[in-house]
CSV table of all heavy atoms in Angstrom, one decimal:
chain,number,residue,atom,x,y,z
A,741,SER,N,112.7,95.5,106.5
A,741,SER,CA,111.3,95.1,106.3
A,741,SER,C,110.7,95.6,105.0
A,741,SER,O,109.8,95.0,104.5
A,741,SER,CB,110.4,95.6,107.5
A,741,SER,OG,110.5,97.0,107.6
A,742,ASP,N,111.2,96.8,104.5
A,742,ASP,CA,110.6,97.4,103.3
A,742,ASP,C,111.5,97.4,102.2
A,742,ASP,O,111.3,97.9,101.1
A,742,ASP,CB,110.1,98.8,103.6
A,742,ASP,CG,111.2,99.8,104.0
A,742,ASP,OD1,112.4,99.3,103.9
A,742,ASP,OD2,110.9,100.9,104.3
A,743,ALA,N,112.7,96.7,102.3
A,743,ALA,CA,113.6,96.6,101.2
A,743,ALA,C,113.0,95.9,100.0
A,743,ALA,O,113.3,96.3,98.8
A,743,ALA,CB,114.9,95.9,101.6
A,744,GLY,N,112.2,94.9,100.2
A,744,GLY,CA,111.6,94.2,99.1
A,744,GLY,C,110.6,95.1,98.3
A,744,GLY,O,110.2,94.8,97.2
A,745,ALA,N,110.1,96.2,98.9
A,745,ALA,CA,109.1,97.1,98.3
A,745,ALA,C,109.8,98.2,97.6
A,745,ALA,O,109.1,99.1,97.1
A,745,ALA,CB,108.1,97.6,99.3
A,746,ARG,N,111.1,98.3,97.6
A,746,ARG,CA,111.8,99.4,97.0
A,746,ARG,C,111.6,99.4,95.5
A,746,ARG,O,111.4,98.4,94.8
A,746,ARG,CB,113.3,99.4,97.3
A,746,ARG,CG,113.6,99.6,98.7
A,746,ARG,CD,115.1,99.4,99.0
A,746,ARG,NE,115.9,100.3,98.2
A,746,ARG,CZ,117.2,100.2,98.0
A,746,ARG,NH1,117.8,99.1,98.5
A,746,ARG,NH2,117.9,101.0,97.3
A,747,ASP,N,111.7,100.6,94.9
A,747,ASP,CA,111.6,100.8,93.5
A,747,ASP,C,112.7,100.0,92.8
A,747,ASP,O,113.9,100.1,93.2
A,747,ASP,CB,111.7,102.3,93.1
A,747,ASP,CG,111.4,102.6,91.7
A,747,ASP,OD1,111.7,101.7,90.8
A,747,ASP,OD2,110.9,103.7,91.4
A,748,PRO,N,112.4,99.2,91.8
A,748,PRO,CA,113.5,98.4,91.1
A,748,PRO,C,114.6,99.3,90.6
A,748,PRO,O,115.7,98.9,90.5
A,748,PRO,CB,112.7,97.7,90.0
A,748,PRO,CG,111.3,97.6,90.5
A,748,PRO,CD,111.1,98.8,91.3
A,749,TRP,N,114.2,100.6,90.2
A,749,TRP,CA,115.3,101.5,89.7
A,749,TRP,C,116.3,101.8,90.8
A,749,TRP,O,117.5,101.9,90.6
A,749,TRP,CB,114.6,102.7,89.1
A,749,TRP,CG,115.7,103.7,88.6
A,749,TRP,CD1,116.1,104.9,89.3
A,749,TRP,CD2,116.4,103.7,87.4
A,749,TRP,NE1,117.0,105.5,88.6
A,749,TRP,CE2,117.3,104.8,87.4
A,749,TRP,CE3,116.5,102.8,86.4
A,749,TRP,CZ2,118.1,105.1,86.4
A,749,TRP,CZ3,117.4,103.0,85.4
A,749,TRP,CH2,118.2,104.2,85.3
A,750,GLU,N,115.8,101.9,92.0
A,750,GLU,CA,116.6,102.2,93.1
A,750,GLU,C,117.6,101.0,93.5
A,750,GLU,O,118.7,101.2,93.9
A,750,GLU,CB,115.8,102.6,94.4
A,750,GLU,CG,115.1,103.9,94.3
A,750,GLU,CD,114.2,104.2,95.5
A,750,GLU,OE1,114.3,103.4,96.5
A,750,GLU,OE2,113.6,105.2,95.5
A,751,ARG,N,117.1,99.8,93.2
A,751,ARG,CA,117.8,98.6,93.5
A,751,ARG,C,118.8,98.3,92.4
A,751,ARG,O,119.9,97.8,92.7
A,751,ARG,CB,116.9,97.5,93.8
A,751,ARG,CG,115.9,97.7,94.9
A,751,ARG,CD,115.0,96.5,95.1
A,751,ARG,NE,115.8,95.3,95.5
A,751,ARG,CZ,115.3,94.1,95.6
A,751,ARG,NH1,114.1,93.8,95.4
A,751,ARG,NH2,116.1,93.1,96.0
A,752,TRP,N,118.4,98.5,91.2
A,752,TRP,CA,119.2,98.1,90.0
A,752,TRP,C,119.7,99.2,89.1
A,752,TRP,O,120.2,98.9,88.0
A,752,TRP,CB,118.4,97.0,89.2
A,752,TRP,CG,117.9,95.9,90.0
A,752,TRP,CD1,116.7,95.7,90.5
A,752,TRP,CD2,118.7,94.8,90.6
A,752,TRP,NE1,116.6,94.5,91.3
A,752,TRP,CE2,117.9,94.0,91.3
A,752,TRP,CE3,120.1,94.5,90.5
A,752,TRP,CZ2,118.3,92.8,92.0
A,752,TRP,CZ3,120.5,93.3,91.1
A,752,TRP,CH2,119.7,92.5,91.9
A,753,GLY,N,119.5,100.4,89.5
A,753,GLY,CA,119.9,101.6,88.7
A,753,GLY,C,121.4,101.6,88.4
A,753,GLY,O,121.9,102.0,87.4
A,754,TRP,N,122.2,101.0,89.4
A,754,TRP,CA,123.7,101.0,89.2
A,754,TRP,C,124.1,100.2,87.9
A,754,TRP,O,125.1,100.4,87.3
A,754,TRP,CB,124.4,100.4,90.4
A,754,TRP,CG,124.0,99.0,90.7
A,754,TRP,CD1,123.0,98.5,91.4
A,754,TRP,CD2,124.7,97.8,90.2
A,754,TRP,NE1,122.9,97.1,91.5
A,754,TRP,CE2,124.0,96.7,90.7
A,754,TRP,CE3,125.8,97.6,89.5
A,754,TRP,CZ2,124.4,95.4,90.5
A,754,TRP,CZ3,126.3,96.3,89.2
A,754,TRP,CH2,125.6,95.2,89.7
A,755,VAL,N,123.2,99.2,87.5
A,755,VAL,CA,123.5,98.4,86.4
A,755,VAL,C,123.5,99.3,85.1
A,755,VAL,O,124.3,99.1,84.2
A,755,VAL,CB,122.5,97.3,86.2
A,755,VAL,CG1,122.7,96.5,84.9
A,755,VAL,CG2,122.5,96.3,87.4
A,756,MET,N,122.6,100.2,85.0
A,756,MET,CA,122.5,101.2,83.9
A,756,MET,C,123.8,102.0,83.8
A,756,MET,O,124.3,102.3,82.8
A,756,MET,CB,121.3,102.1,84.0
A,756,MET,CG,120.0,101.3,83.9
A,756,MET,SD,119.8,100.5,82.3
A,756,MET,CE,119.8,101.9,81.2
A,757,GLY,N,124.3,102.4,85.0
A,757,GLY,CA,125.5,103.2,85.0
A,757,GLY,C,126.7,102.3,84.6
A,757,GLY,O,127.7,102.8,84.0
A,758,ALA,N,126.7,101.0,85.0
A,758,ALA,CA,127.8,100.1,84.6
A,758,ALA,C,127.9,99.8,83.1
A,758,ALA,O,128.9,99.5,82.6
A,758,ALA,CB,127.7,98.8,85.4
A,759,ILE,N,126.7,100.0,82.4
A,759,ILE,CA,126.7,99.7,81.0
A,759,ILE,C,127.7,100.5,80.2
A,759,ILE,O,128.4,100.1,79.3
A,759,ILE,CB,125.3,99.8,80.4
A,759,ILE,CG1,124.4,98.7,81.0
A,759,ILE,CG2,125.3,99.8,78.9
A,759,ILE,CD1,122.9,98.8,80.6
A,760,TRP,N,127.8,101.8,80.7
A,760,TRP,CA,128.7,102.8,80.0
A,760,TRP,C,130.2,102.5,80.1
A,760,TRP,O,131.0,103.1,79.4
A,760,TRP,CB,128.4,104.2,80.4
A,760,TRP,CG,126.9,104.5,80.2
A,760,TRP,CD1,126.0,104.6,81.2
A,760,TRP,CD2,126.3,104.8,79.0
A,760,TRP,NE1,124.8,104.9,80.6
A,760,TRP,CE2,124.9,105.1,79.3
A,760,TRP,CE3,126.7,104.9,77.7
A,760,TRP,CZ2,124.0,105.4,78.3
A,760,TRP,CZ3,125.8,105.2,76.7
A,760,TRP,CH2,124.5,105.5,77.0
A,761,LEU,N,130.5,101.5,80.9
A,761,LEU,CA,131.9,101.1,81.1
A,761,LEU,C,132.5,100.5,79.8
A,761,LEU,O,133.7,100.4,79.7
A,761,LEU,CB,132.1,100.1,82.2
A,761,LEU,CG,131.8,100.6,83.6
A,761,LEU,CD1,131.9,99.5,84.6
A,761,LEU,CD2,132.8,101.8,84.0
A,762,VAL,N,131.6,100.2,78.8
A,762,VAL,CA,132.1,99.7,77.6
A,762,VAL,C,133.0,100.7,76.9
A,762,VAL,O,134.0,100.4,76.1
A,762,VAL,CB,131.0,99.3,76.6
A,762,VAL,CG1,130.1,100.6,76.3
A,762,VAL,CG2,131.4,98.6,75.4
A,763,PHE,N,132.8,102.0,77.2
A,763,PHE,CA,133.6,103.1,76.6
A,763,PHE,C,135.0,103.1,77.1
A,763,PHE,O,135.9,103.8,76.6
A,763,PHE,CB,132.9,104.4,76.7
A,763,PHE,CG,131.7,104.6,75.9
A,763,PHE,CD1,130.4,104.5,76.5
A,763,PHE,CD2,131.7,104.7,74.5
A,763,PHE,CE1,129.3,104.6,75.7
A,763,PHE,CE2,130.6,104.8,73.8
A,763,PHE,CZ,129.4,104.7,74.4
A,764,LEU,N,135.3,102.4,78.2
A,764,LEU,CA,136.6,102.3,78.7
A,764,LEU,C,137.5,101.5,77.8
A,764,LEU,O,138.7,101.4,78.0
A,764,LEU,CB,136.7,101.8,80.1
A,764,LEU,CG,136.1,102.7,81.2
A,764,LEU,CD1,136.1,102.0,82.6
A,764,LEU,CD2,136.8,104.0,81.3
A,765,GLY,N,136.9,100.8,76.8
A,765,GLY,CA,137.7,100.1,75.8
A,765,GLY,C,138.6,101.0,75.0
A,765,GLY,O,139.6,100.6,74.5
A,766,PHE,N,138.2,102.3,74.8
A,766,PHE,CA,139.0,103.2,74.1
A,766,PHE,C,140.3,103.5,74.8
A,766,PHE,O,141.4,103.4,74.1
A,766,PHE,CB,138.2,104.5,73.7
A,766,PHE,CG,137.1,104.2,72.8
A,766,PHE,CD1,135.8,104.2,73.3
A,766,PHE,CD2,137.3,103.9,71.5
A,766,PHE,CE1,134.7,104.0,72.5
A,766,PHE,CE2,136.2,103.7,70.6
A,766,PHE,CZ,134.9,103.7,71.1
A,767,PRO,N,140.3,103.9,76.1
A,767,PRO,CA,141.6,104.1,76.7
A,767,PRO,C,142.4,102.8,76.8
A,767,PRO,O,143.7,102.9,76.8
A,767,PRO,CB,141.3,104.7,78.1
A,767,PRO,CG,139.8,104.4,78.3
A,767,PRO,CD,139.2,104.3,76.9
A,768,LEU,N,141.7,101.7,77.0
A,768,LEU,CA,142.5,100.4,77.0
A,768,LEU,C,143.2,100.2,75.6
A,768,LEU,O,144.3,99.7,75.6
A,768,LEU,CB,141.5,99.3,77.3
A,768,LEU,CG,141.1,99.1,78.8
A,768,LEU,CD1,140.0,98.0,78.9
A,768,LEU,CD2,142.3,98.8,79.7
A,769,ARG,N,142.5,100.5,74.6
A,769,ARG,CA,143.1,100.4,73.2
A,769,ARG,C,144.3,101.3,73.1
A,769,ARG,O,145.4,100.9,72.5
A,769,ARG,CB,142.1,100.7,72.2
A,769,ARG,CG,142.6,100.5,70.7
A,769,ARG,CD,141.6,101.1,69.7
A,769,ARG,NE,141.4,102.5,69.9
A,769,ARG,CZ,140.6,103.3,69.2
A,769,ARG,NH1,139.8,102.7,68.3
A,769,ARG,NH2,140.5,104.6,69.4
A,770,GLU,N,144.2,102.5,73.6
A,770,GLU,CA,145.3,103.4,73.6
A,770,GLU,C,146.5,102.9,74.4
A,770,GLU,O,147.7,103.1,74.0
A,770,GLU,CB,144.9,104.8,74.1
A,770,GLU,CG,143.9,105.5,73.3
A,770,GLU,CD,144.4,105.8,71.9
A,770,GLU,OE1,145.6,106.1,71.7
A,770,GLU,OE2,143.6,105.8,70.9
A,771,VAL,N,146.2,102.3,75.5
A,771,VAL,CA,147.3,101.7,76.3
A,771,VAL,C,148.0,100.6,75.5
A,771,VAL,O,149.3,100.5,75.6
A,771,VAL,CB,146.8,101.1,77.7
A,771,VAL,CG1,147.8,100.3,78.4
A,771,VAL,CG2,146.3,102.3,78.6
Side-chain angles (χ1 to χ4, degrees):
S741 61
D742 60 7
R746 292 174 60 196
D747 189 327
W749 177 257
E750 294 180 1
R751 300 181 64 188
W752 305 104
W754 64 272
V755 176
M756 294 300 297
I759 290 176
W760 301 104
L761 292 177
V762 65
F763 290 105
L764 290 180
F766 294 106
L768 284 172
R769 184 189 63 183
E770 294 298 326
V771 169

